Structures are given as C-alpha cells and as structure tokens.
C-alpha cells in the first residue's frame, strides 16, 4: 500500500501558551562559569599565561605549603592581621597545608574570612573552636576494620584500598587526618606510602574473600598515582574474579582540573583500565569531591568534557561544611553545576567528627533541611543522598534514618543492621549550634553521660 500524503491543515498556527512564567537569570546561574585569564588578578600570577596555568606540573610545583610563600603570592591583597591569624591557625591544625595555584586564584583575598575555598584549606586561629568532647582522631574506625595496612573491609561486599597517603592538596577537614599528609605540630601520622609488598597483601586479601565485589582506590588521592601505578593497580584488581566494580577516588578535578587536560599519560592509563573493565563487563569509574560551585570553572568544564568523551563516568561526594555549602542556595547551585558538567551528585556527607575543625561542622538537622529543599530541583539521578558516616564504624546512614535524634542535645543515634547488626552508633552536632543551657550540660562529664545514655535508650526502644 502506498503512503498517503498527510492532510494540509489550513488553520492559523496556534500560539504556545506558557504554563510557567519565564525563569530569571538566577535559575541559570549554574551555567555561568569563570572563563578567561581570571588567575591574573593574583599579584604573583599576573604574567602567568594560559599554557603555563594549565600545566599540571607547574601547578604542583607552585602549590602553597608555607605562609611565607602565600604572602609572596598574594602580597598586599589581604586585610591587616590576616597573616598572623593564619600562622596561629596553622600551628594548631591536624593537617599540613598544600594548596594549588588554581585554588589560590579562586579565593577572594580581599574578603578571605567568608571565602569558601579559604575556609576549606587555610585554618585561621580566630575561627577555631574546641573539639566536641566525644571526638576521636580515627572516628570512623578505619584502622580497626583493616585486615592489612591500608585496606579497610567494613561493608560485606566492599573494601577501601589506600595505596598512598599524599594528595594534590590537603583539606582541613580530612577524615583521614590520622594518615594523610606530613606530620604536624598536633598529629604524628600513620604513614601509608606506595609499597609493592603492602599492595600485594591487599590484593591477596581481596582475592581470598569472594564476597568482595567493589573496591574503592583512594588514599591519599589517585591523582598522585603515576600513570604506571594506575595501570598496575587497575590490572591487578581487574584480574581478581570476584572484583566487579572499581572506583578511583580523587579530589583532583575540583582542585587541579588542568591535569586532565595536560597529563596525557595519566588520562590514557585511566582510559585503558576503564576500557579493559568494560570489555570484562566490570565497572570502573572516577569518584571526585567538589564542595562549592565556585570550584567549577571553564577549565573544569573542558577537563570533565574530556573524560565524558572517553566514556569515563564521574560521581561526586561532597562534605557538608559550614560557610561553604550549608545553605539551600549554595548546595542547589553546586548540584545543578555538577549536572551541567556531567558529574553525578552522589553523596553529601554530614561532616565527620574530625579533630581541629569544629568550626566547619554543621548539624544533622541542617543536612535534613537542605536535602528536603534540594530534592526536586533537578533529576533524581543527579540528586545527592545526604548521609552520616556513623562514628565507630557504622558506615554511611541516610541522615534522616536515625533511630532517635534529640535536636536540643544534638545527639543522634543510628543503627546499621546490614553492617554491624545489633549495634547503635551516635553522632553529635557541634556544640556551638546548641543553646547556652545545653552547652553548659556538655561541659559536665556526668551530664554528657546522661545525655548519651538517654538518647541510646530511646533509640533502642525504637530500632527494628
Ligand atoms: S583530598 Fe581527600 S584524602 Fe586528601 S586531604 Fe582532601 S579529603 Fe583528605
């Protein structure tokens, strides 16, 4: 039967009637990325051209590790008293300082106290608060769950492999401040240097446990692994029959995205492992760590575009940090901007209980409020789950899945039936967000005990 021509409709074209009002420019802010030679506003980078700034080796070589080098770089930009404040902060910090020129140039040095990147990477004496009385250095008990050094086996089917202990930058809030970076005045570290024998023991353990299917390769940071090491580790893990999924974890794209544009050997090595995994029907992806939308620039867009073209899936895990992303507006902008560069927003962690960074923590209540408002602002697969990584080794729990939460005392209690059945895990909101009356109770050790016992007893009555 021959096709009949479609009838011609002689009527006028009907106008489209909008059902929603047009959006304002703020709704498209996630697409407005910093472009051009924006780093040249920093005195020391005035003459740094694009090719130099995009060179990852230049970025690593010129990273800031000392106050004197920072002062030389930013010169007169900062307000009076700031440098002394920074020196005081660095003396009390559990993490050593290393900050890439990319991040240094993103900071608004005329207003450094409120800047989200300054808050994450440069400690200030005037902003530090006393630690919560229930805080410990390895609060997640990673070392207690390690059958061999640098391998944590907590969840049944998943292990965390830490091949090295260095990163392209050091974050003030690092959960692994017990191991990452150089020793500081405050902390002598457990070192996890790249070591063939240590790595082989980790592979042997993984191969001996058929239930292990999912391996996270973190650290430290996979950006610091040489291309040859990416391939060695990738090949060794892909060869283990029970391993079905691998994730290379790196903060790199957020703090030094140019490496993806200019370190061809590293990107090619990762691509080969991803492609080999695909042929074996094993999933190999990259996990990264953006915390604020300002970290995503035109350079990031180009870098992540390169990974996307190569079919490399990238997921993001943020930490909820006071002054960085603890508002509905800041988190929504971050999530939308991640979607714009094809990065899946996967998790937002309520800040772990880490030594020396009490000023950065927020409450479980804040997390639940932000999650409620972010959900619905974009597609579900681009919407992060907000989790508490339960201190004591309970693993990640949905922030709102507590068995009991006393917003007055700041004690929340979680269970983890598939990880550690029968146990309860407590998380504590920062004291500075509690009322003066509750802060006084926390100053008394007997009251502390009573508050925790009360919350745990109520949780025990509810847990199923
Ligand atoms: S990049 Fe990750 S492992 Fe390294 S210091 Fe930052 S949070 Fe810690």
């Amino acid at each position: 039967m021959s096709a009949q021509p479609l009838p011609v409709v002689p009527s006028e074209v009907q106008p489209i009637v909008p059902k929603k009002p047009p959006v304002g420019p703020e709704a498209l802010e996630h697409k407005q990325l910093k472009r051009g030679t924006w780093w040249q506003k920093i005195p020391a980078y005035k003459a740094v051209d694009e090719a130099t700034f995009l060179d990852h080796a230049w970025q690593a070589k010129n990273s800031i590790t000392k106050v004197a080098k920072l002062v030389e770089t930013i010169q007169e930009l900062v307000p009076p008293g700031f440098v002394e404040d920074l020196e005081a902060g660095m003396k009390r910090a559990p993490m050593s300082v290393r900050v890439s020129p990319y991040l240094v140039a993103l900071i608004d040095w005329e207003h450094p106290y409120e800047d989200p990147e300054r808050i994450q990477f440069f400690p200030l004496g005037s902003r530090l608060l006393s630690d919560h009385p229930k805080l410990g250095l390895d609060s997640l008990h990673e070392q207690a769950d390690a059958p061999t050094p640098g391998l944590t086996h907590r969840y049944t089917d998943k292990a965390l492999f830490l091949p090295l202990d260095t990163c392209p930058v050091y974050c003030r809030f690092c959960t692994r401040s017990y191991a990452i970076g150089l020793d500081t005045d405050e902390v002598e570290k457990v070192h996890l240097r790249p070591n063939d024998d240590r790595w082989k023991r980790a592979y042997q353990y993984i191969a001996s446990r058929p239930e292990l299917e999912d391996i996270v390769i973190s650290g430290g940071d996979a950006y610091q692994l040489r291309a040859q090491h990416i391939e060695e580790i990738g090949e060794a893990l892909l060869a283990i029959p029970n391993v079905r999924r691998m994730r290379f974890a790196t903060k790199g794209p957020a703090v030094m995205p140019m490496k993806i544009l200019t370190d061809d050997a590293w990107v090619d090595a990762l691509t080969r492992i991803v492609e080999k995994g695909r042929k074996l029907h094993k999933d190999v992806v990259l996990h990264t760590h953006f915390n604020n939308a300002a970290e995503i620039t035109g350079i990031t867009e180009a870098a992540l575009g390169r990974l996307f073209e190569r079919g490399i899936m990238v997921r993001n895990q943020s930490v909820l940090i006071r002054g960085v992303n603890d508002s509905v507006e800041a988190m929504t902008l971050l999530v939308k901007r991640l979607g714009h560069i094809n990065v899946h927003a996967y998790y937002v962690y309520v800040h772990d209980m880490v030594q020396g960074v009490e000023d950065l923590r927020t409450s479980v209540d804040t997390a639940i409020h932000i999650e409620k408002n972010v959900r619905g602002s974009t597609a579900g697969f681009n919407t992060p789950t907000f989790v508490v990584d339960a201190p004591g080794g309970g693993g990640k729990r949905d922030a709102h899945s507590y068995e009991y939460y006393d917003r007055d005392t700041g004690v929340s209690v979680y269970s983890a039936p598939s990880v550690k059945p029968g146990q309860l895990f407590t998380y504590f909101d920062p004291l500075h967000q509690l009322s003066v009356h509750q802060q006084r109770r926390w100053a008394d050790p007997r009251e502390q005990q009573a508050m925790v016992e009360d919350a745990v007893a109520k949780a025990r009555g509810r847990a199923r």
Side-chain angles (χ1 to χ4, degrees):
M1 210 169 93
S2 62
Q4 296 296 311
L6 289 171
V8 176
V9 182
S11 65
E12 287 164 22
V13 177
Q14 293 297 311
I16 296 171
V17 182
K19 301 280 184 195
K20 282 177 176 298
V23 296
E26 71 289 345
L28 302 175
E29 195 186 341
H30 60 285
K31 300 183 186 188
Q32 311 304 324
L33 305 183
K34 224 180 235 288
R35 299 183 194 280
T37 53
W38 45 270
W39 55 87
Q40 291 178 348
K41 72 178 193 306
I42 302 292
Y45 308 154
K46 223 180 209 108
V48 173
D49 60 17
E50 189 170 21
T52 307
F53 197 72
L54 292 190
D55 177 358
H56 67 98
W58 183 88
Q59 288 279 333
K61 188 159 163 254
N62 287 281
S63 290
I64 304 288
T65 55
K66 299 258 179 324
V67 176
K69 177 88 183 281
L70 178 68
V71 173
E72 210 177 278
T73 305
I74 56 177
Q75 296 171 21
E76 305 300 320
L77 288 183
V78 284
F82 177 83
V83 173
E84 294 72 19
D85 207 355
L86 178 60
E87 277 166 345
M90 282 175 66
K91 276 207 185 86
R92 290 165 57 194
M95 291 297 291
S96 41
V97 166
R98 180 189 281 171
V99 187
S100 60
Y102 176 78
L103 284 178
V104 169
L106 282 179
I107 294 173
D108 175 1
W109 288 105
E110 283 163 32
H111 306 95
Y113 285 88
E114 297 80 35
D115 187 277
E117 308 312 316
R118 194 290 299 157
I119 292 173
Q120 295 179 72
F121 298 99
F122 292 106
L124 298 179
S126 65
R127 298 294 157 114
L128 298 182
L129 298 169
S130 305
D131 286 340
H132 192 286
K134 293 289 177 191
L135 184 144
L137 188 57
D138 174 18
S139 71
L140 305 182
H141 282 211
E142 287 186 341
Q143 293 180 85
D145 284 331
T148 179
L151 186 81
T152 297
H153 185 187
R154 172 173 307 146
Y155 301 91
T156 307
D157 70 347
K158 186 179 106 176
L160 170 68
F161 175 38
L162 310 175
L164 80 175
D165 58 12
T166 58
C167 303
V169 299
Y170 293 129
C171 315
R172 288 184 54 209
F173 48 87
C174 183
T175 303
R176 294 193 193 107
S177 57
Y178 68 86
I180 304 303
L182 304 171
D183 293 344
T184 68
D185 287 355
E186 287 292 308
V187 181
E188 200 174 315
K189 314 265 167 164
V190 175
H191 290 293
L192 297 170
R193 306 227 157 83
N195 174 309
D196 226 26
D197 282 345
R198 188 170 65 77
W199 293 4
K200 280 193 183 127
R201 279 200 297 280
Y203 306 148
Q204 270 167 16
Y205 177 83
I206 294 166
S208 75
R209 303 298 298 244
E211 73 272 32
L212 274 180
E213 299 187 350
D214 196 335
I215 310 298
V216 180
I217 304 135
S218 184
D221 192 296
Y223 242 39
Q224 300 299 98
L225 289 168
R226 286 193 238 129
Q228 171 208 342
H229 286 154
I230 292 277
E231 290 210 63
E232 271 174 35
I233 293 171
E235 295 274 0
L237 292 174
L238 285 176
I240 298 173
N242 47 293
V243 173
R244 305 291 306 158
R245 297 174 290 280
M246 287 158 51
R247 329 172 201 171
F248 284 94
T250 172
K251 192 161 174 66
V255 298
M256 205 187 280
M258 49 284 288
K259 182 176 169 85
I260 295 166
L261 297 172
T262 55
D263 189 348
D264 291 342
W266 192 90
V267 178
D268 289 346
L270 180 67
T271 308
R272 275 195 289 275
I273 295 300
V274 171
E275 284 173 353
K276 181 156 187 186
R278 195 173 294 132
K279 289 208 177 84
L280 293 168
H281 297 184
K282 297 188 179 197
D283 193 32
V284 183
V285 304
L286 199 73
H287 273 204
T288 192
H289 177 182
F290 290 92
N291 284 333
N292 183 280
E295 290 150 20
I296 301 170
T297 64
I299 301 171
T300 329
E301 183 183 46
L304 272 292
R306 189 174 193 211
L307 296 183
F308 192 72
E309 281 170 23
R310 290 176 177 221
I312 300 176
M313 152 76 88
V314 183
R315 299 192 193 107
N316 188 65
Q317 307 191 164
S318 297
V319 179
L320 185 62
I321 302 177
R322 189 171 167 222
V324 172
N325 54 21
D326 65 333
S327 69
V328 171
E329 296 72 27
M331 187 59 78
T332 306
L333 183 59
L334 171 62
V335 165
K336 298 267 295 181
R337 200 166 274 180
L338 286 169
H340 180 67
I341 58 168
N342 295 309
V343 173
H344 283 194
Y346 173 36
Y347 274 139
V348 174
Y349 289 80
V350 173
H351 202 299
D352 289 332
M353 297 191 64
V354 179
Q355 190 189 4
V357 289
E358 202 61 1
D359 57 312
L360 301 183
R361 291 207 301 128
T362 60
S363 62
V364 167
D365 185 55
T366 306
I368 293 170
H369 168 70
I370 296 175
E371 176 165 36
K372 189 162 48 179
N373 283 275
V374 168
R375 190 158 291 282
S377 63
T378 189
F381 61 83
N382 267 340
T383 304
T385 303
F386 286 58
V387 292
V388 172
D389 210 344
K396 292 178 262 304
R397 314 309 304 160
D398 272 11
H400 52 257
S401 72
Y402 50 79
E403 302 298 344
Y404 179 73
Y405 179 25
D406 185 331
R407 284 172 168 80
D408 292 331
T409 62
V411 184
S412 46
V413 188
Y414 292 86
S415 64
S418 58
V419 186
K420 301 210 168 152
Q423 287 190 38
L424 292 174
F425 302 88
T426 40
Y427 179 83
F428 303 92
D429 290 346
L431 298 187
H432 62 83
Q433 294 199 333
L434 305 181
S435 68
V436 174
H437 169 64
Q438 297 296 345
Q439 290 183 27
R440 283 208 194 101
R441 291 185 73 197
W442 276 104
D444 176 347
R446 274 171 315 175
E447 281 281 302
Q448 286 174 18
Q449 186 74 5
M451 287 185 279
V452 176
E453 282 173 5
D454 176 62
V456 169
K458 286 182 173 137
R460 213 170 281 291
R462 291 173 195 196
R464 283 187 282 156

